[in-house]
Amino acid sequence: GNSVTQMEGPVTLSEEAFLTINCTYTATGYPSLFWYVQYPGEGLQLLLKATKADDKGSNKGFEATYRKETTSFHLEKGSVQVSDSAVYFCALKWNTGFQKLVFGTGTRLLVSP
Amino acid sequence: DTAVSQTPKYLVTQMGNDKSIKCEQNLGHDTMYWYKQDSKKFLKIMFSYNNKELIINETVPNRFSPKSPDKAHLNLHINSLELGDSAVYFCASSLLGTDYEQYFGPGTRLTVT
């Protein structure tokens, strides 16, 4: 079936450290890929997306590249801030049919000063 | 200027009771969704409505019944609540189409005792 696998958390970093959160997917065809972020006590917000192979999504210093050959969409940021502490969800969505998002299990990021 | 709102934010109730959660969006979207997030933060879609018509109905117990009185509202009624129904329920909305982002509400934390 179609699924998304994320690295287990929590990921604990010091401010200004480099961040990578791994995400791989299993799917037939070519879905669109997303990263959502959930800050404490809030709903999910779209962070970035990529709709086809080799696309790079970027926002707020975060980046992720759609790699068809490795079925991956790893999230990276060069220098994290305390305010980036949140839960990050990788997700996929089909480009045809109804707009069902399939989420990974989420990765909690904790950034200390 | 809230985009997607849910009421109530918190709901504590006893097993066997019936409860409803309401969702409203003022974004002019034609599609709305209910997601369930369990205690491990895993997010899974439950239902989706497009123009008041049910388009996604995942494997959810019959005790859960969504209702969409109009495009801007999607309510979730739960009968005979069980301990396992304790979770955070998120409403989301979007336009129907592959390029459109889903906007999430702040969530309703349901606790069944």
Side-chain angles (χ1 to χ4, degrees):
Chain A
N2 308 313
S3 64
V4 176
T5 302
Q6 290 182 235
M7 60 190 291
E8 291 268 348
V11 173
T12 305
L13 296 172
S14 298
E15 208 165 22
E16 299 183 3
F18 184 85
L19 168 71
T20 300
I21 300 178
N22 290 339
C23 171
T24 57
Y25 67 91
T26 302
T28 52
Y30 305 107
S32 293
L33 300 173
F34 303 82
W35 278 101
Y36 279 82
V37 58
Q38 184 180 25
Y39 297 103
E42 297 184 13
L44 280 75
Q45 302 172 28
L46 180 65
L47 182 60
L48 52 85
K49 69 178 183 182
T51 57
K52 60 184 188 298
D54 300 325
D55 267 3
K56 177 187 279 189
S58 61
N59 186 25
K60 299 181 182 179
F62 291 89
E63 292 182 341
T65 301
Y66 190 140
R67 302 279 187 208
K68 189 177 71 171
E69 62 277 9
T70 54
T71 61
S72 64
F73 192 54
H74 304 322
L75 182 68
E76 296 181 335
K77 186 175 185 183
S79 175
V80 294
Q81 306 301 311
V82 172
S83 57
D84 293 326
S85 298
V87 180
Y88 292 81
F89 292 89
C90 187
L92 64 81
K93 184 174 76 169
W94 296 113
N95 289 326
T96 57
F98 299 123
Q99 309 305 300
K100 183 169 76 170
L101 277 168
V102 176
F103 286 92
T105 51
T107 302
R108 182 179 296 278
L109 170 64
L110 300 169
V111 181
S112 55
Chain B
D1 60 345
T2 304
V4 182
S5 59
Q6 295 178 230
T7 53
K9 191 169 173 64
Y10 300 97
L11 184 53
V12 180
T13 188
Q14 292 184 327
M15 283 175 57
N17 286 347
D18 303 337
K19 291 293 179 185
S20 292
I21 306 172
K22 297 187 176 184
C23 178
E24 177 180 2
Q25 55 93 4
N26 62 5
L27 297 167
H29 291 162
D30 56 6
T31 305
M32 297 183 73
Y33 314 80
W34 278 113
Y35 288 86
K36 179 180 179 181
Q37 185 177 46
D38 64 23
S39 58
K40 296 185 178 178
K41 296 286 189 184
F42 184 63
L43 259 168
K44 193 164 192 290
I45 191 164
M46 301 172 70
F47 303 103
S48 178
Y49 273 75
N50 171 251
N51 284 322
K52 303 194 297 176
E53 186 178 335
L54 182 66
I55 59 172
I56 295 174
N57 186 355
E58 294 293 288
T59 307
V60 177
N62 291 338
R63 298 181 295 103
F64 290 78
S65 52
K67 283 191 172 47
S68 181
D70 55 57
K71 283 195 311 183
H73 296 84
L74 180 61
N75 303 323
L76 183 65
H77 187 75
I78 315 171
N79 289 327
S80 304
L81 278 155
E82 300 177 357
L83 293 177
D85 298 332
S86 296
V88 181
Y89 293 84
F90 287 100
C91 178
S93 73
S94 72
L95 289 171
L96 187 68
T98 58
D99 292 335
Y100 298 112
E101 173 187 349
Q102 290 184 22
Y103 290 80
F104 283 76
T108 295
R109 181 175 293 277
L110 171 65
T111 303
V112 182
T113 61

